Amino acid sequence: MQQTWRWFGPADKVTVETMMQAGVEGVVSALHHVPTGRVWTTEEIELRRQQIATMANGRPSGLGWSVVESLPVSEDIKKQKGEWKTHTENWKQSMRHLAAAGIDVICYNFMPVLDWTRTDLAWERPNGARCMRFDLIDFAAYDIHILARPGAAESFPIDVREAAGARFAQMSETDKEAIAGNVVFGLPGAAERFSLDDVRTQLGEYDNISEEQLQGHMIDFLSEVAPLAEELGVRLCCHPDDPPFPLLGLPRIMSTQAQYRKILDAVDLPANGVTLCSGALGARPDNDPVAIMRALGDRVHFMHLRNVTIEGDAVMNSFYEDQHLTGHTDMAALVNAVVEEEHRRKAAGRSDWSIPIRPDHGQDILDDIGRQAQPGYPAIGRLKGLAELRGLFAAFEWKAE
C-alpha cells in the first residue's frame, strides 16, 4: 500500500511537518478554492505541489501530491443542465493539467447537492474523544421541521417521524441552527456553503431526476472523460454515497456493489474505477466492504480505511465514526483482501499494484481536542488509525510472503 494523508492546503491545522512525522508516503489534496466547474490551471496545480513539497523553514519535505480528492463534478453535469457541457470540457482540461504534473489518481463523487451528511461534527464519546455522527432522528427533525421539505415525512418510518417531532419540540434555536449547519457542512474546505433557502432551491432542481436518469448522466459523463483518462494514464475513482442511502428525496446511485458494477460495466475501461471507502459503504448494514473489495478489487484505485458503528438493522439508520479497528467493517479481513489484490496485480505486472490508502475520519483525541481542524481530520486520531492499519498490513504481508 501507499500510505497517504489528506491535506487541505496551507490553512489546514495539520501541517506538512506533521505529515512527515506521521511517516506518510504521499499526500491527498485538492484545489478547494477553485470554483466548481472551472479549469484547474497548471499554475495552481504547481503551487499546491510546491506547498506539499516544502516545509515551513523552506527545506524539502520529500512529499509528493499522489491523489486528487476531489476534482468536483458540478451540479450542472449531474443534472445535465446549464453549462454542463462546458463544465465537462473544463474537467477534461483539468485532468490533462494534472496528468502533465504527474498526478494520476483522481477521486470524485456523483452525490447530488451535498458531498456528505452528518448531524453532529463533534459527538462526545464516553472516553472524552469526539467524532462525527449521523443521527437519524435529528436528521428527520431537520428534514421535516427545519428545512420543511414537501413530502419529507413520507421518507421516514412512522416511529422515526414521531421521534423526530418530539425531539424538534425540545430543540432550542441554537440546536436548530447547529443541526442545519452540520447537515450542509459538506466537504471540508469546499467553497460552497448553503443556507436553508439554498438547499431548497438545489433540491428543487432534482425534482424530476430519477435514479435511472442520474445513472444515465453519470454514464454520459464517464463516456466523455474515461477514454481521455485512459489515454493520459490517469485512474478515475468514484467515492460512494455518504451515507449510502437516500436523503432529502435525492437519488442515490453509488451506494451498493450492484450500483458500482452497473457503472463499471457501462464504461468498461480500466481507468473507470472505485474509491472504496469502508466507512461510507459500511454505514449500510447490507453492505460488506470486504466482499465488495473482493468483487471489484481489480478496479479499486484508491481506498479510505475507516470504520463506523451502526445503530440499527434498517438500510437507513444512525451511525457514528468509530475507531479504525472497531465497527461494522472487519478491518483485518479488508486489509487481508487488499494485500491479496496487490499481490495479484504485482504478479500480473501491473504498474498500479500498490493501492494508495489513507486513514479516514479519525476521532479527535488528546491534543486534537481544541485544535479545530476540519471535522473528521484530526492529527493524532488519524495517526492512531494509520499506526493500527500499518500493523495489519505488516502482518498480512508477512503472511503472504
Side-chain angles (χ1 to χ4, degrees):
M1 68 171 182
Q2 183 193 26
Q3 302 169 41
T4 66
W5 189 275
R6 192 171 193 180
W7 190 61
F8 295 99
D12 198 324
K13 300 291 185 181
V14 180
T15 65
V16 169
E17 288 80 0
T18 302
M19 292 190 286
M20 295 170 63
Q21 292 159 19
V24 301
E25 300 164 331
V27 176
V28 177
S29 195
L31 304 180
H32 298 301
H33 60 283
V34 177
T36 300
R38 300 274 184 88
V39 173
W40 287 14
T41 65
T42 54
E43 293 79 10
E44 289 283 2
I45 292 167
E46 181 58 26
L47 176 59
R48 178 53 51 87
R49 287 185 66 208
Q50 289 303 316
Q51 290 166 342
I52 291 168
T54 308
M55 299 168 63
N57 61 13
R59 294 167 56 189
S61 70
L63 295 175
W65 188 358
S66 300
V67 179
V68 169
E69 185 179 348
S70 297
L71 180 56
V73 178
S74 73
E75 295 300 308
D76 280 5
I77 291 174
K78 295 169 190 173
K79 296 178 294 189
Q80 287 197 358
K81 294 180 180 179
E83 298 184 76
W84 71 277
K85 291 185 178 179
T86 298
H87 289 180
T88 300
E89 289 304 313
N90 288 350
W91 211 91
K92 291 163 70 175
Q93 188 61 32
S94 297
M95 185 165 54
R96 291 186 186 97
H97 291 165
L98 288 164
I103 305 164
D104 58 7
V105 179
I106 298 176
C107 173
Y108 69 99
N109 75 70
F110 222 81
M111 283 179 269
V113 183
L114 299 174
D115 280 356
W116 52 261
T117 306
R118 301 291 186 272
T119 56
D120 194 330
L121 305 181
W123 188 55
E124 188 169 348
R125 304 295 298 125
N127 65 355
R130 273 73 162 174
C131 67
M132 296 201 294
R133 172 177 169 80
F134 178 87
D135 186 296
L136 182 59
I137 305 304
D138 279 350
F139 183 81
Y142 164 81
D143 196 9
I144 299 168
H145 301 288
I146 299 173
L147 183 64
R149 178 175 64 88
E154 287 69 38
S155 300
F156 302 94
I158 188 167
D159 60 326
V160 174
R161 297 201 300 264
E162 292 174 349
R167 187 166 295 176
F168 176 75
Q170 297 176 348
M171 288 181 183
S172 67
E173 289 304 311
T174 301
D175 293 334
K176 295 172 189 176
E177 290 174 6
I179 290 175
N182 292 342
V183 166
V184 301
F185 194 86
L187 179 67
E192 295 87 357
R193 291 290 182 267
F194 299 120
S195 68
L196 288 173
D197 284 340
D198 291 334
V199 175
R200 294 182 187 113
T201 299
Q202 291 280 352
L203 294 179
E205 292 287 314
Y206 283 88
D207 278 349
N208 299 312
I209 297 178
S210 66
E211 177 181 318
E212 184 177 7
Q213 287 172 311
L214 188 62
Q215 285 174 332
H217 294 174
M218 184 175 183
I219 291 167
D220 290 343
F221 171 70
L222 285 170
S223 296
E224 277 288 316
V225 302
L228 176 61
E230 194 82 9
E231 177 185 327
L232 295 171
V234 168
R235 301 187 295 284
L236 308 178
C237 37
C238 186
H239 189 283
D241 303 323
D242 188 4
F245 43 78
L247 297 178
L248 301 173
L250 295 166
R252 291 294 219 194
I253 61 170
M254 299 301 277
S255 295
T256 66
Q257 178 179 321
Q259 288 177 326
Y260 264 100
R261 177 51 68 191
K262 181 172 183 176
I263 297 298
L264 295 177
D265 288 348
V267 184
D268 193 11
L269 295 171
N272 177 27
V274 178
T275 296
L276 198 156
C277 177
S278 57
L281 292 168
R284 181 169 166 147
D286 58 348
N287 276 343
D288 179 357
V290 179
I292 294 172
M293 178 64 200
R294 294 195 181 281
L296 306 180
D298 66 325
R299 301 279 278 274
V300 171
H301 299 323
F302 181 38
M303 299 192 72
H304 296 174
L305 296 182
R306 64 181 173 93
N307 228 326
V308 300
T309 287
I310 303 171
E311 299 177 4
D313 297 326
V315 167
M316 182 184 290
N317 55 75
S318 299
F319 62 89
Y320 65 89
E321 307 278 357
D322 211 331
Q323 299 176 80
H324 285 76
L325 304 188
T326 309
H328 175 65
T329 298
D330 183 342
M331 193 62 72
L334 179 57
V335 170
N336 188 30
V338 174
V339 170
E340 290 176 353
E341 173 61 26
E342 288 187 330
H343 279 263
R344 278 192 293 271
R345 293 184 183 191
K346 199 169 187 179
R350 285 177 57 166
S351 60
D352 65 339
W353 66 268
S354 181
I355 301 172
I357 68 99
R358 66 174 179 85
D360 199 12
H361 291 193
Q363 295 186 350
D364 285 18
I365 58 175
L366 304 175
D367 291 348
D368 290 327
I369 299 171
R371 186 182 280 120
Q372 297 183 330
Q374 284 86 351
Y377 293 93
I380 302 170
R382 280 189 289 169
L383 177 57
K384 176 177 178 285
L386 180 57
E388 293 168 340
L389 295 169
R390 279 183 181 139
L392 290 177
F393 271 95
F396 287 115
E397 278 289 353
W398 175 81
K399 176 185 173 184
E401 292 173 356

